[in-house]
Amino acid sequence: MTATRIDGKVFAAQVREQVARHVATLKDQHAITPGLAVVLVGEDPASQVYVRSKGKQTVEVGMKSVEHRLDADTSEAELLALIAHLNADDSIHGILVQLPLPGHLNEDLVINAIDPAKDVDGFHISNVGLLGTGQKSMVPCTPLGCLMLLRDHHGSLSGLSAVVIGRSNIVGKPMAQLLLGDSCTVTIAHSRTRDLRDVVRQADIVVAAVGRAQMVPGDWIKPGASVIDVGINRIEAPEKGAGKTRLVGDCDYDSCAQTAGAITPVPGGVGPMTIACLLANTVTACCRANGLDEPKGLTA
Ligand code: NDP
């Protein structure tokens, strides 16, 4: 079997188009422009790239983009004051504090200072609790993107068995909650899981969110299963020349594609969905704040 390649780039472009259409309607019919504020503390190069990309795509879909770049030695009090200011600003519907924060800042304290209604990353403890109890919440972007890809491929996920490899608060746990919400039978695997191969082999859906290059080989995959590869790992690529590198996922794409029914590539799979879902969450937050209908298909 050769798996269907689930193209996250194409799907993310469709999500952005849908967001852009909704933004245009909000502007035309209600004179509201959704606004997203991104806060970056310090100069982590990867974070700078993400923040630039988020700002660019926010503007492209017609939303207001505000960036706050703070020095690495910004105090917790200064950061909390900025968040309080953004919480009170009616033109801002989404607030994202780029993680990781410098070590002297308490991430939990900072994230929980964001108004949960504006917490477009879905990391606030209130949103975690709402998701866990099956209530309307802001859903973390990467798992939401994975869910959209799976729903698009399968239609209904009801009754399917799913294994999520990884139990982080930002990917693994919310992913498992979302799959449970769609009536999958869910197993969460992690570094202490015994016989991981046998666990994975049972699954109709495998979501790998570990951060270990190509750790899942094709012979772990049940024939016909869907493989969603969240991992982003940089490895050496001598075939491209001395000192060159390339990105790979947590799954060995070539062998998994021989067994799976469908699989996301890395890059070009889950990655592009993350920012698209951030935009989707911002428009959803804006609609909720104004008591308007939410766009269909852009939330869990
Ligand atoms: P974390 O490091 O927070 O979590 C990794 C998880 O993998 C942990 O739960 C850990 O288990 C588990 N794990 C580690 N080793 C093994 C193993 N040998 N077998 C089974 N499980 C194992 O990572 P994140 O969740 O933040 O990210 C995971 C990957 O996804 C990374 O590559 C990251 O770059 C990528 N990512 C991609 C995004 C995108 O937009 N595409 C967004 C976010 C992340 P334990 O808890 O026991 O330690």
Side-chain angles (χ1 to χ4, degrees):
M1 178 181 294
T2 303
T4 302
R5 185 174 178 277
I6 298 178
D7 193 329
K9 254 184 167 170
V10 168
F11 199 90
Q14 290 167 3
V15 171
R16 287 197 302 274
E17 275 168 30
Q18 200 185 335
V19 169
R21 279 198 300 276
H22 214 83
V23 169
T25 307
L26 285 169
K27 285 181 177 174
D28 292 349
Q29 296 183 5
H30 304 281
I32 298 168
T33 302
L36 173 64
V38 176
V39 180
L40 174 63
V41 187
E43 280 160 20
D44 176 60
S47 295
Q48 287 184 331
V49 173
Y50 289 138
V51 167
R52 211 174 303 130
S53 186
K54 284 167 184 171
K56 184 167 168 279
Q57 293 190 34
T58 304
V59 171
E60 279 169 4
V61 295
M63 300 200 289
K64 169 177 158 175
S65 167
V66 178
E67 275 178 34
H68 290 272
R69 291 171 181 265
L70 308 180
D71 293 338
D73 62 358
T74 298
S75 71
E76 208 160 77
E78 285 172 301
L79 181 54
L80 292 174
L82 172 60
I83 291 172
H85 172 76
L86 294 171
N87 283 343
D89 182 342
D90 288 341
S91 74
I92 296 297
H93 305 94
I95 302 169
L96 180 150
V97 176
Q98 184 66 43
L99 302 179
L101 289 172
H104 66 285
L105 299 170
N106 179 335
E107 280 187 3
D108 287 339
L109 188 79
V110 170
I111 296 303
N112 290 326
I114 298 172
D115 178 348
K118 297 189 179 188
D119 168 38
V120 281
D121 250 346
F123 296 159
H124 190 290
I125 193 73
S126 297
N127 282 315
V128 175
L130 290 167
L131 178 63
T133 50
Q135 300 179 66
K136 194 185 261 194
S137 64
M138 296 307 303
V139 178
C141 303
T142 301
L144 178 59
C146 296
L147 184 74
M148 285 184 187
L149 294 176
L150 284 166
R151 282 179 175 169
D152 181 65
H153 181 72
H154 285 271
S156 169
L157 306 183
S158 179
L160 297 178
S161 66
V163 170
V164 179
I165 318 175
R167 57 174 164 178
S168 72
N169 290 335
I170 63 168
V171 189
K173 284 182 198 153
M175 185 74 245
Q177 296 283 6
L178 289 171
L179 291 166
L180 193 58
D182 270 28
S183 298
C184 291
T185 303
V186 183
T187 302
I188 306 178
H190 45 77
S191 67
R192 308 293 174 88
T193 298
R194 292 186 189 159
D195 304 321
L196 184 58
R197 176 189 187 280
D198 294 338
V199 173
V200 172
R201 186 88 183 161
Q202 305 299 317
D204 302 310
I205 292 170
V206 179
V207 180
V210 180
R212 289 170 65 106
Q214 299 169 315
M215 72 166 268
V216 178
D219 64 2
W220 287 19
I221 303 297
K222 177 176 167 179
S226 296
V227 177
I228 304 293
D229 194 348
V230 182
I232 303 175
N233 310 285
R234 190 166 284 284
I235 61 167
E236 290 177 7
E239 71 280 5
K240 289 167 71 179
K244 297 285 183 192
T245 60
R246 67 186 175 102
L247 293 180
V248 296
D250 290 342
C251 302
D252 175 42
Y253 184 88
D254 290 342
S255 65
C256 288
Q258 294 302 312
T259 337
I263 183 168
T264 57
V266 177
V270 174
M273 290 300 290
T274 297
I275 298 184
C277 287
L278 173 67
L279 305 177
N281 276 350
T282 305
V283 84
T284 297
C286 177
C287 292
R288 288 179 187 171
N290 289 284
L292 299 168
D293 288 344
E294 297 170 22
K296 297 218 178 344
L298 294 184
T299 46

